[in-house]
């Protein structure tokens, strides 16, 4: 067995191990997936909506918050305009007369500054964050708040979905997000959630006094605050049936920019919080973080091996073409089961695909969502294109980190 | 860390249970792929046995019907069986490795069958005037023959294009005495690839056009030989008449 095949087998082994671990975790916690909705003793909640050039979606975001099924006297909505150059501020101001909405304007300083600005203006027991391109389900607060009944829970995340997918890239992200729903719930049972997404996470306001406010954090403040909560051994939970819809990038370029920003953030914050890689941080330090970093390493190694194989196949096709010239008979294909690869890797690869599909279906089912034709389309697209796309995002992110470049979030916004 | 997060707690039992389950899936995969490979090898062996029977039967036909042999010999089905074995053997060589003892054993038997078939083709050509051209091709799987792959493509292409071609390919390095004899018969040196068309050996890569140019010449020599043979026969027969 050569070194490369030994490496591939180890990577596949770890992949299978992780999938089985996750599925087993969900199975053993199947009776603890949901909590009853909050019916009385409503605590005060403030939702912060940082925004920069969001004129297209801000109105709908605020409307979705106004439609929340929650006592009006307990809810505050703070829209913080981070120096937008479009009509975001004007549009947001239109809602100020409607009950709990308060709009603030400040000079542009980045999303984390807008969040901190908002934090400085709230006194409520709980504080939530919602990106200005996302829309909440009316029941989400009542579904999320019961998770705070456990004293150590400092943050509760929601189930993030793609808002009305229309393009190929959105269908694909829809599947990825659904997988994310499964993943986040699984990680919550292992005390290992490491991101508190911008589209609706609720925190105990007091926690910011203990751990400090938001930081620039390589433009992924929602990841850094997750890491920071974990480093203080605070618990982050997940309400899988609290739905939030976000406008996902519709084409390759904005999606690529977004992902490069996210993943360089993971690499850089991962390095800043490398002290979490310690068995003292339990499942997170012993298993989840190591497997995340090993996964990235395997992604690169296996992708390069696959690319080398494709290159060698292309070379032999080229030399065949050179030797005999173009001939249509070269493209005739006879299917003979004998030549189907029965290699162990094929079997294991097949098993991994099955586990991934199970995870995606569980994500959809457990979040109480319906299976639609769009979902089917997404599955096919993801099966075909997700691998190369994911590799391209990571390649971009790693290159940025190695070249010490930083993503330009303002430009990314312009693309969307 | 003063805070308690019970969910983070490592449960060794669960980690071990998942390790066991993953191990079981791996073992299942090993067992399954091993079994399928064995089945495939046995399929190649079945094909080889069938072909061995066919070759033997053709030989018996030759000796039984010495006069009418030419009407009864049809080598095309034998050839396609031979190609099928060759193709499958090549695949198994890739899957199980060139040094797999089972693969080497099958390869030796396959080479022997090729030599036998080559003899039959030559017989059919000489005695029955069959319009067939046998080509012997020597390659190597070692790294010493970079253009062997290309030569293989050319010959496969020509074989598909010209049904009268019979191509017999041999691994130059295969340790088989009959193959050594064949090599010494043509006085071959190890300058691969080697293509033998008619009685002429060509060293080094030959592209499609080069080989296509050789073919008519071979046909001409073939015809000449046959005519000479017929003349000799007439000369022998004429005094009696």
């Amino acid at each position: 067995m050569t070194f490369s095949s030994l490496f591939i087998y180890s990577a596949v082994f770890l992949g299978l191990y992780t999938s089985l671990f996750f599925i087993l975790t969900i199975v053993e916690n199947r009776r603890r997936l949901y909590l009853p909705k909050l019916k009385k003793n409503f605590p005060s909640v403030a939702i912060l909506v940082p925004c920069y050039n969001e004129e297209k979606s801000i109105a709908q975001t605020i409307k979705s918050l106004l439609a929340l099924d929650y006592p009006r006297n307990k809810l505050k909505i703070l829209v913080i305009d981070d120096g937008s150059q479009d009509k975001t501020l004007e549009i947001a101001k239109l809602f100020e007369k409607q009950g709990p909405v308060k709009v603030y304007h400040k000079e542009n300083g980045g999303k984390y500054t807008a969040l901190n600005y908002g934090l400085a203006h709230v006194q409520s027991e709980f504080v939530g964050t919602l990106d200005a391109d996302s829309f909440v389900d009316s029941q989400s607060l009542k579904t999320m708040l019961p998770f705070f009944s456990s004293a150590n829970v400092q943050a509760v995340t929601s189930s993030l979905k793609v808002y009305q997918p229309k393009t190929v890239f959105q269908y694909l992200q829809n599947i990825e997000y659904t997988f994310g729903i499964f993943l986040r719930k699984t990680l919550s049972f292992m005390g290992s959630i490491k991101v508190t997404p911008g589209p609706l996470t609720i925190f105990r306001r007091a926690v910011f006094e203990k751990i400090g406010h938001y930081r620039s954090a390589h433009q992924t403040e929602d990841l850094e605050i997750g890491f920071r909560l974990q480093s203080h051994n605070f618990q982050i939970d997940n309400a899988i049936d609290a739905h939030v819809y976000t406008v996902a990038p519709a084409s390759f370029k904005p999606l690529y920019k977004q992902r490069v920003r996210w993943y360089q953030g993971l690499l850089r914050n991962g390095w800043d919080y490398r002290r979490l890689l310690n068995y003292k941080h339990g499942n997170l330090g012993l298993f989840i973080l190591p497997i995340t970093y090993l996964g990235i390493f395997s992604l690169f190694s296996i992708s390069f091996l696959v690319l080398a194989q494709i290159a060698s196949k292309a070379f032999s096709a080229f030399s065949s073409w050179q030797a005999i010239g173009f001939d249509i008979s070269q493209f005739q294909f006879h299917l003979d089961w004998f030549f189907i690869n029965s290699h162990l890797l094929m079997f294991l690869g097949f098993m991994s695909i099955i586990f991934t599909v199970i995870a995606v279906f569980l994500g959809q089912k457990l979040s109480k969502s319906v299976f639609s034709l769009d979902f089917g389309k997404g599955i096919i697209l993801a099966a075909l294109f997700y691998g190369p796309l994911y590799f391209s995002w990571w390649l971009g992110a790693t290159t940025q980190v190695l070249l010490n470049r930083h993503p330009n979030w303002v430009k990314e916004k312009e693309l969307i | 860390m003063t805070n308690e997060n019970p969910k983070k707690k490592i449960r060794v039992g669960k980690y071990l249970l998942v390790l066991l389950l993953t191990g079981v899936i791996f073992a299942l995969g090993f067992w399954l792929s091993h079994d399928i490979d064995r089945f495939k090898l046995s399929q190649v062996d079945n094909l080889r046995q069938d072909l061995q029977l066919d070759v033997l039967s053709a030989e018996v036909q030759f000796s039984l019907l010495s006069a009418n042999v030419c009407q009864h010999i049809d080598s095309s089905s034998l050839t396609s069986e031979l190609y099928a074995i060759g193709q499958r053997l090549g695949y198994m060589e890739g899957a199980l490795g060139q040094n797999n003892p089972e693969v080497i054993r099958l390869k030796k038997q396959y080479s022997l069958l090729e030599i036998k078939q080559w003899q039959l083709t030559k017989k059919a050509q000489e005695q029955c005037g069959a319009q067939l051209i046998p080509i012997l091709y020597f390659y190597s799987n070692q790294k010493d023959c970079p253009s062997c792959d290309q030569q293989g493509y050319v010959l496969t292409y020509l074989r598909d294009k010209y049904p009268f071609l019979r191509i017999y390919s041999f691994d130059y390095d295969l340790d088989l005495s009959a193959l050594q004899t064949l090599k010494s018969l043509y006085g071959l040196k190890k300058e691969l690839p080697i293509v033998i068309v008619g009685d002429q050996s060509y060293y080094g890569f030959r592209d499609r056009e080069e080989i296509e140019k050789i073919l008519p010449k071979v046909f001409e020599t073939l015809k000449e030989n046959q005519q000479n043979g017929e003349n000799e026969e007439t000369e022998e027969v004429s005094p009696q008449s």
Side-chain angles (χ1 to χ4, degrees):
Chain A
M1 195 179 263
T2 60
F3 177 74
S4 64
S5 58
L6 192 70
F7 173 77
I8 291 179
Y9 280 115
S10 316
V12 173
F13 189 93
L14 275 178
L16 267 183
Y17 184 90
T18 312
S19 318
L20 275 174
F21 202 104
F22 286 175
I23 289 174
L24 196 75
T25 303
I26 282 287
V27 171
E28 70 173 334
N29 289 291
R30 64 192 177 282
R31 299 196 199 290
R32 284 187 286 258
L33 289 168
Y34 314 103
L35 285 182
K37 272 188 205 168
L38 192 67
K39 291 201 177 86
K40 52 183 181 178
N41 301 331
F42 298 100
S44 57
V45 182
I47 309 277
L48 310 180
V49 186
C51 43
Y52 175 76
N53 290 354
E54 304 277 6
E55 62 180 12
K56 282 184 203 154
S57 56
I58 186 68
Q60 199 177 342
T61 302
I62 299 173
K63 277 182 197 165
S64 82
L65 286 170
L66 287 170
L68 275 170
D69 178 16
Y70 205 77
R72 279 290 169 271
N73 58 344
K74 297 285 184 184
L75 181 68
K76 274 205 164 68
I77 299 164
L78 283 81
V79 180
I80 307 110
D81 176 47
D82 189 27
S84 292
Q85 288 154 357
D86 63 358
K87 291 183 178 158
T88 307
L89 185 64
E90 289 169 47
I91 298 170
K93 288 258 183 206
L94 296 176
F95 291 91
E96 247 183 337
K97 287 161 205 137
Q98 296 186 31
V101 181
K102 185 104 180 86
V103 180
Y104 297 92
H105 174 74
K106 66 181 268 303
E107 267 190 28
N108 182 261
K111 188 175 164 190
Y112 80 101
T113 60
L115 285 167
N116 288 339
Y117 191 96
L119 279 177
H121 289 82
V122 294
Q123 292 301 319
S124 55
E125 193 178 344
F126 293 97
V127 57
T129 61
L130 181 69
D131 287 351
D133 56 357
S134 307
F135 321 115
V136 296
D137 179 79
S138 65
Q139 297 303 308
S140 39
L141 273 188
K142 283 187 173 176
T143 321
M144 292 167 86
L145 287 167
F147 284 88
F148 286 104
S149 57
S150 169
N152 194 37
V153 172
Q154 299 297 328
V156 176
T157 60
S158 53
S159 273
L160 198 52
K161 290 164 167 290
V162 172
Y163 177 71
Q164 295 183 349
K166 284 190 188 78
T167 72
V168 166
F169 289 96
Q170 287 171 331
Y171 286 134
L172 207 142
Q173 288 173 85
N174 191 26
I175 298 305
E176 188 198 23
Y177 277 48
T178 311
F179 181 77
I181 290 173
F182 165 83
L183 194 64
R184 213 168 292 124
K185 191 68 203 174
T186 310
L187 292 179
S188 79
F189 289 124
M190 297 168 69
S192 300
I193 293 185
K194 53 188 187 297
V195 194
T196 47
L200 202 58
T201 299
I202 310 281
F203 299 86
R204 284 185 204 274
R205 193 182 56 81
V207 81
F208 291 102
E209 284 157 20
K210 292 175 191 157
I211 66 168
H213 284 194
Y214 278 98
R215 294 173 190 163
S216 167
H218 316 289
Q219 304 191 37
T220 41
E221 71 299 317
D222 53 355
L223 174 66
E224 193 273 341
I225 203 100
F227 272 141
R228 206 175 338 152
L229 283 167
Q230 287 289 3
S231 72
H232 284 82
N233 231 13
F234 284 131
Q235 199 172 324
I236 305 170
D237 221 317
N238 171 257
I240 197 168
D241 49 347
H243 296 177
V244 183
Y245 302 86
T246 191
V247 179
S251 57
F252 177 78
K253 208 172 169 187
L255 177 62
Y256 176 82
K257 292 256 176 197
Q258 182 197 53
R259 293 317 168 95
V260 167
R261 179 170 60 82
W262 287 4
Y263 297 157
Q264 63 83 36
L266 176 57
L267 291 174
R268 288 184 159 124
N269 285 308
W271 177 251
D272 293 345
Y273 282 90
R274 56 191 179 277
R275 61 179 183 277
L276 288 177
L277 276 168
N278 185 319
Y279 73 95
K280 285 180 186 159
H281 283 284
N283 291 319
L284 179 77
L286 184 83
F287 182 38
I288 299 302
L289 285 178
I291 206 79
T292 307
Y293 304 138
L294 275 174
I296 300 165
F297 179 67
S298 308
L299 171 79
F300 278 117
S301 325
I302 293 177
S303 298
F304 283 124
L305 280 173
V306 168
L307 283 176
Q309 283 232 328
I310 291 175
S312 117
K313 283 256 155 59
F315 178 74
S316 72
F318 176 71
S319 49
S320 153
W321 172 77
Q322 237 189 355
I324 56 179
F326 178 78
D327 188 88
I328 192 74
S329 67
Q330 285 167 259
F331 297 98
Q332 281 174 3
F333 182 72
H334 305 286
L335 185 71
D336 185 342
W337 79 269
F338 189 92
F339 298 107
I340 292 172
N341 199 335
S342 60
H343 216 259
L344 174 61
L345 270 182
M346 286 287 282
F347 172 78
L348 296 173
F350 180 69
M351 291 302 289
S352 308
I353 291 171
I354 290 198
F355 285 139
T356 312
V357 171
I358 290 177
V360 171
F361 272 82
L362 279 175
Q364 188 78 345
K365 193 171 160 22
L366 300 180
S367 63
K368 300 179 181 170
S369 309
V370 286
F371 290 93
S372 61
L373 188 65
D374 288 353
F375 188 76
K377 281 187 209 165
I379 290 268
I380 294 168
L381 284 167
L384 291 173
F385 303 116
Y386 191 72
L389 273 176
Y390 192 64
F391 173 63
S392 75
W393 301 332
W394 270 108
L395 194 64
T398 315
T399 315
Q400 277 213 341
V401 172
L402 292 177
L403 297 176
N404 201 20
R405 283 191 196 142
H406 293 269
N408 188 335
W409 192 66
V410 174
K411 272 198 175 167
E412 183 188 320
K413 293 286 314 174
E414 282 165 7
L415 281 169
I416 297 172
Chain B
M1 287 185 300
T2 47
N3 305 300
E4 274 281 310
N5 186 349
K7 288 189 174 176
K8 264 186 170 179
K9 205 176 158 213
I10 295 164
R11 283 162 50 214
V12 180
K14 186 176 169 190
Y15 279 86
L16 290 178
L17 174 69
V18 178
L19 189 67
L20 185 77
L21 285 175
T22 318
V24 167
I25 290 184
F26 249 64
L28 196 74
F30 266 118
W31 173 75
L32 207 69
S33 69
H34 180 73
D35 232 42
I36 292 176
D37 281 344
R38 281 211 68 78
F39 181 68
K40 283 183 175 176
L41 273 176
S42 75
Q43 222 203 7
V44 176
D45 198 55
N46 284 344
L47 270 173
R48 181 192 56 77
Q49 285 180 13
D50 286 351
L51 187 71
Q52 209 165 16
L53 269 180
D54 289 343
V55 171
L56 195 65
S57 131
E59 276 182 330
V60 173
Q61 266 184 309
F62 257 112
S63 51
L64 277 179
L65 311 155
S66 50
N68 292 330
V69 65
C70 301
Q71 291 170 16
H72 295 268
I73 286 293
D74 173 21
S75 66
S76 61
S77 66
L78 286 184
T79 313
S80 59
E81 276 177 61
L82 196 66
Y83 289 158
I85 299 182
Q87 225 180 346
R88 282 164 165 71
L89 203 55
Y91 173 80
M92 293 313 291
E93 205 173 8
L96 298 177
Q98 295 164 18
N99 299 324
N100 182 294
E102 193 82 346
V103 169
I104 293 179
R105 193 175 64 84
L106 281 171
K107 206 168 157 183
K108 284 183 178 174
Q109 289 179 332
Y110 169 69
S111 301
L112 282 176
L113 283 176
E114 278 193 307
I115 298 176
K116 280 207 149 189
Q117 247 232 324
W118 168 69
Q119 282 181 308
L120 277 180
T121 310
K122 285 199 57 118
K123 248 188 200 174
Q125 192 190 35
E126 285 156 11
Q127 295 185 8
C128 315
Q131 296 288 302
L132 298 173
I133 297 183
I135 292 183
L136 299 180
Y137 166 48
F138 289 87
Y139 66 90
S140 162
N141 281 335
Q142 312 300 327
K143 284 180 179 155
D144 52 2
C145 180
S147 51
C148 277
D149 276 350
Q150 275 205 331
Q151 192 65 71
Y153 294 136
V154 169
L155 291 175
T156 311
Y157 170 79
L158 291 172
R159 186 191 77 189
D160 294 341
K161 190 173 175 189
Y162 304 111
F164 58 80
L165 287 184
R166 296 285 181 270
I167 290 161
Y168 306 104
S169 52
F170 301 95
D171 184 345
Y172 192 93
D173 304 307
L174 193 68
D175 182 19
L176 182 69
S177 54
L179 196 61
Q180 302 304 332
T181 315
L182 186 67
K183 285 194 279 193
S184 60
L185 214 61
Y186 283 95
L188 298 183
K189 304 169 279 182
K190 193 178 180 184
E191 286 171 22
L192 300 172
I194 309 168
V195 176
I196 302 175
V197 192
D199 287 328
Q200 184 74 40
S201 315
Y202 300 91
Y203 290 93
F205 174 72
R206 303 284 151 166
D207 69 16
R208 164 190 165 181
E209 283 170 3
E210 275 177 280
I211 297 181
E212 278 177 330
K213 271 183 203 159
I214 300 168
L215 297 179
K217 288 179 201 159
V218 179
F219 267 124
E220 272 172 35
T221 354
L222 201 68
K223 269 186 192 163
E224 275 171 31
N225 288 347
Q226 278 164 6
Q227 275 171 0
N228 290 343
E230 276 166 23
N231 290 344
E232 276 166 26
E233 267 177 43
T234 349
E235 278 164 22
E236 278 170 20
V237 172
S238 53
Q240 283 177 350
S241 61

